[in-house]
Short mmCIF file of all heavy atoms in Angstrom, two decimals:
data_model
loop_
_atom_site.label_atom_id
_atom_site.label_comp_id
_atom_site.label_asym_id
_atom_site.label_seq_id
_atom_site.Cartn_x
_atom_site.Cartn_y
_atom_site.Cartn_z
N GLY L 1 -64.66 -63.32 16.95
CA GLY L 1 -64.36 -62.27 17.93
C GLY L 1 -63.05 -61.56 17.66
O GLY L 1 -62.43 -61.02 18.58
N GLN L 2 -62.63 -61.55 16.40
CA GLN L 2 -61.34 -61.01 16.03
C GLN L 2 -61.48 -59.96 14.94
O GLN L 2 -62.53 -59.85 14.29
CB GLN L 2 -60.42 -62.12 15.52
CG GLN L 2 -60.07 -63.17 16.54
CD GLN L 2 -58.87 -62.77 17.37
OE1 GLN L 2 -58.40 -61.64 17.32
NE2 GLN L 2 -58.34 -63.71 18.14
N SER L 3 -60.43 -59.22 14.72
CA SER L 3 -60.31 -58.33 13.57
C SER L 3 -58.87 -58.44 13.08
O SER L 3 -57.98 -58.87 13.82
CB SER L 3 -60.62 -56.87 13.94
OG SER L 3 -59.59 -56.33 14.75
N TYR L 4 -58.65 -58.05 11.83
CA TYR L 4 -57.29 -58.16 11.28
C TYR L 4 -56.32 -57.27 12.05
O TYR L 4 -55.20 -57.69 12.37
CB TYR L 4 -57.30 -57.80 9.80
CG TYR L 4 -55.98 -58.01 9.11
CD1 TYR L 4 -55.36 -59.25 9.14
CD2 TYR L 4 -55.34 -56.97 8.43
CE1 TYR L 4 -54.14 -59.47 8.50
CE2 TYR L 4 -54.13 -57.17 7.79
CZ TYR L 4 -53.53 -58.43 7.84
OH TYR L 4 -52.32 -58.63 7.21
N GLN L 5 -56.77 -56.08 12.40
CA GLN L 5 -55.89 -55.17 13.13
C GLN L 5 -55.58 -55.74 14.51
O GLN L 5 -54.45 -55.65 14.99
CB GLN L 5 -56.55 -53.79 13.26
CG GLN L 5 -55.63 -52.73 13.90
CD GLN L 5 -54.37 -52.52 13.06
OE1 GLN L 5 -54.44 -52.32 11.86
NE2 GLN L 5 -53.21 -52.56 13.72
N ALA L 6 -56.57 -56.35 15.16
CA ALA L 6 -56.35 -56.93 16.48
C ALA L 6 -55.35 -58.08 16.41
O ALA L 6 -54.51 -58.26 17.31
CB ALA L 6 -57.66 -57.41 17.08
N ILE L 7 -55.43 -58.89 15.35
CA ILE L 7 -54.48 -60.00 15.19
C ILE L 7 -53.06 -59.47 15.08
O ILE L 7 -52.13 -59.97 15.72
CB ILE L 7 -54.84 -60.84 13.95
CG1 ILE L 7 -56.18 -61.56 14.16
CG2 ILE L 7 -53.74 -61.86 13.65
CD1 ILE L 7 -56.72 -62.20 12.90
N LYS L 8 -52.88 -58.42 14.26
CA LYS L 8 -51.55 -57.84 14.11
C LYS L 8 -51.07 -57.22 15.42
O LYS L 8 -49.91 -57.39 15.81
CB LYS L 8 -51.55 -56.79 12.99
CG LYS L 8 -51.77 -57.39 11.60
CD LYS L 8 -51.43 -56.39 10.50
CE LYS L 8 -52.40 -55.23 10.47
NZ LYS L 8 -52.12 -54.32 9.32
N ASP L 9 -51.96 -56.49 16.09
CA ASP L 9 -51.59 -55.86 17.35
C ASP L 9 -51.23 -56.91 18.40
O ASP L 9 -50.24 -56.76 19.13
CB ASP L 9 -52.73 -55.00 17.88
CG ASP L 9 -52.91 -53.71 17.09
OD1 ASP L 9 -51.99 -53.36 16.31
OD2 ASP L 9 -53.97 -53.07 17.23
N ASN L 10 -52.02 -57.98 18.48
CA ASN L 10 -51.76 -59.01 19.49
C ASN L 10 -50.46 -59.76 19.21
O ASN L 10 -49.74 -60.15 20.14
CB ASN L 10 -52.93 -60.00 19.54
CG ASN L 10 -54.18 -59.38 20.14
OD1 ASN L 10 -54.12 -58.34 20.78
ND2 ASN L 10 -55.31 -60.02 19.92
N LEU L 11 -50.15 -59.96 17.93
CA LEU L 11 -48.89 -60.62 17.59
C LEU L 11 -47.71 -59.73 17.96
O LEU L 11 -46.72 -60.20 18.54
CB LEU L 11 -48.86 -60.96 16.10
CG LEU L 11 -47.57 -61.62 15.59
CD1 LEU L 11 -47.21 -62.85 16.41
CD2 LEU L 11 -47.72 -61.99 14.11
N ARG L 12 -47.81 -58.45 17.65
CA ARG L 12 -46.74 -57.54 18.03
C ARG L 12 -46.63 -57.44 19.55
O ARG L 12 -45.53 -57.37 20.10
CB ARG L 12 -46.98 -56.14 17.43
CG ARG L 12 -46.80 -56.12 15.93
CD ARG L 12 -46.20 -54.81 15.44
NE ARG L 12 -47.14 -53.71 15.48
CZ ARG L 12 -46.85 -52.47 15.07
NH1 ARG L 12 -45.66 -52.19 14.61
NH2 ARG L 12 -47.74 -51.52 15.12
N ARG L 13 -47.77 -57.45 20.23
CA ARG L 13 -47.76 -57.43 21.71
C ARG L 13 -47.02 -58.66 22.26
O ARG L 13 -46.17 -58.53 23.13
CB ARG L 13 -49.19 -57.42 22.22
CG ARG L 13 -49.34 -57.50 23.73
CD ARG L 13 -50.71 -58.06 24.10
NE ARG L 13 -50.87 -59.43 23.63
CZ ARG L 13 -52.06 -60.02 23.44
NH1 ARG L 13 -53.16 -59.35 23.63
NH2 ARG L 13 -52.10 -61.28 23.04
N ASP L 14 -47.34 -59.85 21.74
CA ASP L 14 -46.71 -61.07 22.23
C ASP L 14 -45.21 -61.07 21.95
O ASP L 14 -44.41 -61.47 22.79
CB ASP L 14 -47.35 -62.29 21.59
CG ASP L 14 -48.76 -62.55 22.11
OD1 ASP L 14 -49.20 -61.82 23.03
OD2 ASP L 14 -49.43 -63.48 21.61
N LEU L 15 -44.84 -60.60 20.76
CA LEU L 15 -43.41 -60.51 20.44
C LEU L 15 -42.72 -59.52 21.37
O LEU L 15 -41.61 -59.79 21.87
CB LEU L 15 -43.23 -60.07 18.98
CG LEU L 15 -43.64 -61.10 17.91
CD1 LEU L 15 -43.62 -60.44 16.53
CD2 LEU L 15 -42.72 -62.31 17.94
N ALA L 16 -43.37 -58.40 21.65
CA ALA L 16 -42.78 -57.39 22.53
C ALA L 16 -42.58 -57.94 23.94
O ALA L 16 -41.51 -57.76 24.55
CB ALA L 16 -43.68 -56.15 22.57
N ILE L 17 -43.60 -58.63 24.46
CA ILE L 17 -43.49 -59.18 25.82
C ILE L 17 -42.35 -60.19 25.90
O ILE L 17 -41.57 -60.19 26.87
CB ILE L 17 -44.83 -59.83 26.23
CG1 ILE L 17 -45.88 -58.73 26.48
CG2 ILE L 17 -44.66 -60.69 27.49
CD1 ILE L 17 -47.28 -59.27 26.71
N ASN L 18 -42.22 -61.03 24.89
CA ASN L 18 -41.15 -62.02 24.90
C ASN L 18 -39.78 -61.38 24.71
O ASN L 18 -38.81 -61.82 25.32
CB ASN L 18 -41.41 -63.08 23.84
CG ASN L 18 -42.41 -64.12 24.30
OD1 ASN L 18 -42.09 -65.00 25.09
ND2 ASN L 18 -43.66 -64.01 23.83
N TYR L 19 -39.69 -60.33 23.89
CA TYR L 19 -38.41 -59.64 23.73
C TYR L 19 -38.01 -58.96 25.04
O TYR L 19 -36.85 -59.03 25.45
CB TYR L 19 -38.51 -58.57 22.63
CG TYR L 19 -38.60 -59.10 21.23
CD1 TYR L 19 -39.20 -58.35 20.21
CD2 TYR L 19 -38.09 -60.36 20.89
CE1 TYR L 19 -39.28 -58.83 18.91
CE2 TYR L 19 -38.18 -60.84 19.59
CZ TYR L 19 -38.78 -60.08 18.61
OH TYR L 19 -38.87 -60.55 17.33
N LEU L 20 -38.97 -58.33 25.71
CA LEU L 20 -38.68 -57.64 26.97
C LEU L 20 -38.32 -58.64 28.07
O LEU L 20 -37.53 -58.34 28.96
CB LEU L 20 -39.88 -56.80 27.41
CG LEU L 20 -40.16 -55.54 26.57
CD1 LEU L 20 -41.53 -54.97 26.91
CD2 LEU L 20 -39.08 -54.49 26.82
N SER L 21 -38.92 -59.83 28.00
CA SER L 21 -38.71 -60.82 29.05
C SER L 21 -37.49 -61.69 28.80
O SER L 21 -36.86 -62.15 29.75
CB SER L 21 -39.94 -61.73 29.16
OG SER L 21 -41.12 -60.99 29.40
N GLY L 22 -37.16 -61.93 27.53
CA GLY L 22 -36.15 -62.93 27.25
C GLY L 22 -34.95 -62.45 26.48
O GLY L 22 -34.20 -63.25 25.91
N SER L 23 -34.72 -61.13 26.41
CA SER L 23 -33.54 -60.63 25.70
C SER L 23 -33.00 -59.39 26.39
O SER L 23 -33.67 -58.80 27.24
CB SER L 23 -33.90 -60.29 24.24
OG SER L 23 -34.57 -59.05 24.16
N THR L 24 -31.79 -59.03 26.02
CA THR L 24 -31.18 -57.83 26.60
C THR L 24 -31.24 -56.66 25.62
O THR L 24 -30.59 -55.64 25.83
CB THR L 24 -29.71 -58.11 26.95
OG1 THR L 24 -29.01 -58.57 25.78
CG2 THR L 24 -29.62 -59.19 28.04
N ARG L 25 -32.03 -56.81 24.56
CA ARG L 25 -32.16 -55.70 23.61
C ARG L 25 -32.69 -54.45 24.31
O ARG L 25 -33.51 -54.53 25.22
CB ARG L 25 -33.14 -56.06 22.50
CG ARG L 25 -32.75 -57.21 21.62
CD ARG L 25 -33.70 -57.25 20.43
NE ARG L 25 -33.85 -58.57 19.86
CZ ARG L 25 -34.59 -58.84 18.80
NH1 ARG L 25 -35.27 -57.87 18.21
NH2 ARG L 25 -34.68 -60.06 18.33
N SER L 26 -32.23 -53.32 23.83
CA SER L 26 -32.76 -52.07 24.37
C SER L 26 -34.19 -51.88 23.90
O SER L 26 -34.62 -52.48 22.90
CB SER L 26 -31.91 -50.88 23.91
OG SER L 26 -32.08 -50.67 22.51
N ILE L 27 -34.93 -51.03 24.59
CA ILE L 27 -36.31 -50.77 24.21
C ILE L 27 -36.37 -50.15 22.82
O ILE L 27 -37.26 -50.47 22.02
CB ILE L 27 -36.99 -49.87 25.27
CG1 ILE L 27 -37.18 -50.66 26.57
CG2 ILE L 27 -38.34 -49.34 24.76
CD1 ILE L 27 -37.74 -49.86 27.71
N GLU L 28 -35.41 -49.32 22.50
CA GLU L 28 -35.38 -48.70 21.17
C GLU L 28 -35.16 -49.76 20.10
O GLU L 28 -35.82 -49.73 19.04
CB GLU L 28 -34.27 -47.65 21.10
CG GLU L 28 -34.26 -46.89 19.78
CD GLU L 28 -33.27 -45.73 19.77
OE1 GLU L 28 -32.54 -45.58 20.76
OE2 GLU L 28 -33.23 -45.02 18.76
N GLU L 29 -34.27 -50.72 20.36
CA GLU L 29 -34.02 -51.78 19.40
C GLU L 29 -35.27 -52.64 19.19
O GLU L 29 -35.61 -53.03 18.07
CB GLU L 29 -32.87 -52.67 19.88
CG GLU L 29 -31.50 -52.02 19.78
CD GLU L 29 -30.42 -52.88 20.40
OE1 GLU L 29 -30.69 -53.55 21.42
OE2 GLU L 29 -29.29 -52.88 19.88
N ILE L 30 -35.96 -52.93 20.29
CA ILE L 30 -37.20 -53.71 20.20
C ILE L 30 -38.24 -52.95 19.41
O ILE L 30 -38.94 -53.52 18.56
CB ILE L 30 -37.72 -54.06 21.62
CG1 ILE L 30 -36.75 -55.02 22.31
CG2 ILE L 30 -39.12 -54.68 21.54
CD1 ILE L 30 -37.09 -55.29 23.75
N ALA L 31 -38.36 -51.65 19.67
CA ALA L 31 -39.34 -50.82 18.96
C ALA L 31 -39.09 -50.88 17.45
O ALA L 31 -40.03 -51.06 16.66
CB ALA L 31 -39.27 -49.38 19.47
N ILE L 32 -37.84 -50.74 17.06
CA ILE L 32 -37.50 -50.76 15.63
C ILE L 32 -37.79 -52.13 15.02
O ILE L 32 -38.35 -52.24 13.92
CB ILE L 32 -36.02 -50.38 15.43
CG1 ILE L 32 -35.81 -48.90 15.82
CG2 ILE L 32 -35.60 -50.60 13.98
CD1 ILE L 32 -34.35 -48.49 15.84
N SER L 33 -37.43 -53.20 15.76
CA SER L 33 -37.65 -54.55 15.24
C SER L 33 -39.12 -54.86 15.08
O SER L 33 -39.50 -55.71 14.25
CB SER L 33 -37.00 -55.59 16.16
OG SER L 33 -37.68 -55.68 17.39
N LEU L 34 -39.97 -54.18 15.84
CA LEU L 34 -41.41 -54.40 15.76
C LEU L 34 -42.09 -53.43 14.79
O LEU L 34 -43.32 -53.40 14.70
CB LEU L 34 -42.05 -54.27 17.15
CG LEU L 34 -41.67 -55.38 18.14
CD1 LEU L 34 -42.26 -55.08 19.52
CD2 LEU L 34 -42.16 -56.74 17.64
N GLY L 35 -41.30 -52.65 14.10
CA GLY L 35 -41.85 -51.79 13.05
C GLY L 35 -42.34 -50.43 13.50
O GLY L 35 -43.04 -49.74 12.74
N PHE L 36 -41.97 -50.01 14.73
CA PHE L 36 -42.38 -48.69 15.19
C PHE L 36 -41.38 -47.64 14.73
O PHE L 36 -40.17 -47.91 14.62
CB PHE L 36 -42.49 -48.66 16.72
CG PHE L 36 -43.65 -49.45 17.25
CD1 PHE L 36 -43.49 -50.77 17.64
CD2 PHE L 36 -44.92 -48.89 17.34
CE1 PHE L 36 -44.55 -51.51 18.12
CE2 PHE L 36 -45.99 -49.61 17.81
CZ PHE L 36 -45.81 -50.93 18.19
N ALA L 37 -41.89 -46.45 14.48
CA ALA L 37 -41.03 -45.37 13.99
C ALA L 37 -40.01 -44.95 15.04
O ALA L 37 -38.88 -44.59 14.72
CB ALA L 37 -41.87 -44.17 13.56
N ASP L 38 -40.42 -44.98 16.30
CA ASP L 38 -39.51 -44.61 17.39
C ASP L 38 -40.00 -45.25 18.69
O ASP L 38 -41.09 -45.85 18.74
CB ASP L 38 -39.43 -43.09 17.55
CG ASP L 38 -40.80 -42.43 17.65
OD1 ASP L 38 -41.63 -42.93 18.44
OD2 ASP L 38 -41.04 -41.44 16.94
N SER L 39 -39.22 -45.12 19.74
CA SER L 39 -39.54 -45.77 21.01
C SER L 39 -40.78 -45.16 21.66
O SER L 39 -41.50 -45.85 22.40
CB SER L 39 -38.35 -45.68 21.97
OG SER L 39 -37.95 -44.34 22.16
N SER L 40 -41.06 -43.89 21.40
CA SER L 40 -42.24 -43.26 22.00
C SER L 40 -43.53 -43.87 21.44
O SER L 40 -44.51 -44.08 22.18
CB SER L 40 -42.23 -41.75 21.79
OG SER L 40 -42.25 -41.44 20.40
N ALA L 41 -43.55 -44.18 20.14
CA ALA L 41 -44.72 -44.84 19.54
C ALA L 41 -44.90 -46.24 20.12
O ALA L 41 -46.02 -46.68 20.39
CB ALA L 41 -44.56 -44.89 18.03
N PHE L 42 -43.78 -46.93 20.30
CA PHE L 42 -43.83 -48.25 20.92
C PHE L 42 -44.34 -48.14 22.36
O PHE L 42 -45.15 -48.97 22.81
CB PHE L 42 -42.43 -48.87 20.88
CG PHE L 42 -42.32 -50.19 21.60
CD1 PHE L 42 -43.24 -51.20 21.40
CD2 PHE L 42 -41.26 -50.42 22.48
CE1 PHE L 42 -43.13 -52.42 22.06
CE2 PHE L 42 -41.14 -51.63 23.14
CZ PHE L 42 -42.08 -52.62 22.94
N HIS L 43 -43.87 -47.14 23.08
CA HIS L 43 -44.29 -46.90 24.46
C HIS L 43 -45.81 -46.75 24.53
O HIS L 43 -46.49 -47.37 25.36
CB HIS L 43 -43.60 -45.64 24.99
CG HIS L 43 -43.93 -45.30 26.41
ND1 HIS L 43 -45.15 -44.76 26.79
CD2 HIS L 43 -43.20 -45.43 27.55
CE1 HIS L 43 -45.15 -44.55 28.09
NE2 HIS L 43 -43.99 -44.96 28.58
N ARG L 44 -46.38 -45.93 23.64
CA ARG L 44 -47.83 -45.69 23.66
C ARG L 44 -48.60 -46.97 23.34
O ARG L 44 -49.61 -47.29 23.98
CB ARG L 44 -48.19 -44.58 22.66
CG ARG L 44 -47.73 -43.20 23.07
CD ARG L 44 -48.36 -42.12 22.20
NE ARG L 44 -47.98 -42.26 20.79
CZ ARG L 44 -46.88 -41.70 20.27
NH1 ARG L 44 -46.05 -41.00 21.04
NH2 ARG L 44 -46.60 -41.85 18.99
N ALA L 45 -48.13 -47.71 22.34
CA ALA L 45 -48.82 -48.94 21.94
C ALA L 45 -48.76 -49.98 23.05
O ALA L 45 -49.76 -50.63 23.36
CB ALA L 45 -48.20 -49.49 20.66
N PHE L 46 -47.59 -50.16 23.66
CA PHE L 46 -47.43 -51.18 24.71
C PHE L 46 -48.28 -50.84 25.92
O PHE L 46 -48.88 -51.72 26.55
CB PHE L 46 -45.95 -51.29 25.10
CG PHE L 46 -45.64 -52.53 25.89
CD1 PHE L 46 -45.38 -53.73 25.24
CD2 PHE L 46 -45.61 -52.51 27.28
CE1 PHE L 46 -45.09 -54.88 25.96
CE2 PHE L 46 -45.32 -53.65 28.00
CZ PHE L 46 -45.06 -54.85 27.34
N LYS L 47 -48.35 -49.54 26.24
CA LYS L 47 -49.19 -49.09 27.36
C LYS L 47 -50.66 -49.41 27.09
O LYS L 47 -51.39 -49.86 27.97
CB LYS L 47 -49.02 -47.58 27.55
CG LYS L 47 -49.77 -47.00 28.73
CD LYS L 47 -48.89 -46.91 29.94
CE LYS L 47 -49.57 -46.18 31.07
NZ LYS L 47 -48.74 -46.14 32.29
N LYS L 48 -51.07 -49.24 25.85
CA LYS L 48 -52.45 -49.54 25.47
C LYS L 48 -52.71 -51.04 25.55
O LYS L 48 -53.77 -51.48 25.99
CB LYS L 48 -52.71 -49.02 24.05
CG LYS L 48 -54.12 -49.30 23.53
CD LYS L 48 -54.29 -48.78 22.12
CE LYS L 48 -55.67 -49.10 21.57
NZ LYS L 48 -55.83 -48.62 20.17
#
């Protein structure tokens, strides 16, 4: 019930949730650390 893209997306999602919950990093810093080009791309992905 998986796909390679879903595995990568879910891992980035889990890392994002833990960064947002357990660190004081800015959203822009988290976006960059997760490989997004900018915070707006991270915003769209996280919303999805």
